[in-house]
Amino acid sequence: MPFAYPLFLSLEGERCLVVGLGEVGLRKLAGVLAAGVGSVLALDAGQAEAAPHRTPDPEAVRLLADPRVRVERRPCTAADIAPCRLVFAATSDADENARIAALCREARVLCNCASAPALGQFAVSAVARCGELCAALSTGGASPALARSLRRELETWLEPRAALAQFLGRLRPLVLAMKRDTRHNTQLFRKVAASPLGDWLAAGDLDRCRRWLERELPPALATEALSLLENRPCTVPDGETHESC
């Protein structure tokens, strides 16, 4: 089964390579930038000069203007690949993508090959984000269109739950600071996660939240938890929306 091991990877401080700055390559670039990558080398073998009078796409201009991105108009070399955490072979030339994928295998660098996914080592899932919540899905390459549709459903499902995730993230260090045993903490976190707090936070019903916290949490913790009740609306940032496997 190809690409059977799902993984959330930190790109903080890491370097990535995107080869090809067409529609697919720009999607890959947007995805790693949204994930907080340290730097990106974006290579393009001159496609941009092929249509000099075409109006530049505003989104492409924005992505390429990011200070973390360095754009060069030349082919990819083995030296470009060696220092990278991830490589995206996204040119319009299948043979060139295959060559890049082969260089990545030799260098033991993970590659996503847009034209022939089996030549690479990872696929880019369809990703739904809402606040700190993130869900990724794959159809195993069966239908990128279905993955895109399911992603939209996931965004809708995540949105009312994002406020609870944010609240739990702020509550967690307060609970751990109480230095209770692990079983106690686990039961408390599960109790909060299974409560109606998420619905009430999403609806802005802070009165019900306060009453629940005062009733269900230990008094000292409840007092601190009440100060965390800030209803911050969830937004869904743009990110990778294409399943490339």
Side-chain angles (χ1 to χ4, degrees), residues 222-243:
T223 298
E224 293 191 78
L226 290 172
S227 67
L228 303 180
L229 289 180
E230 298 178 7
N231 186 31
R232 299 180 179 178
C234 171
T235 58
V236 184
D238 293 334
E240 179 69 64
T241 60
H242 176 71
E243 183 193 35

Side-chain angles (χ1 to χ4, degrees), residues 148-161:
R148 182 183 295 269
S149 176
L150 293 175
R151 170 188 173 269
R152 296 192 185 101
E153 292 185 26
L154 274 176
E155 288 174 350
T156 301
W157 186 84
L158 290 176
E159 188 166 355
R161 293 162 173 80

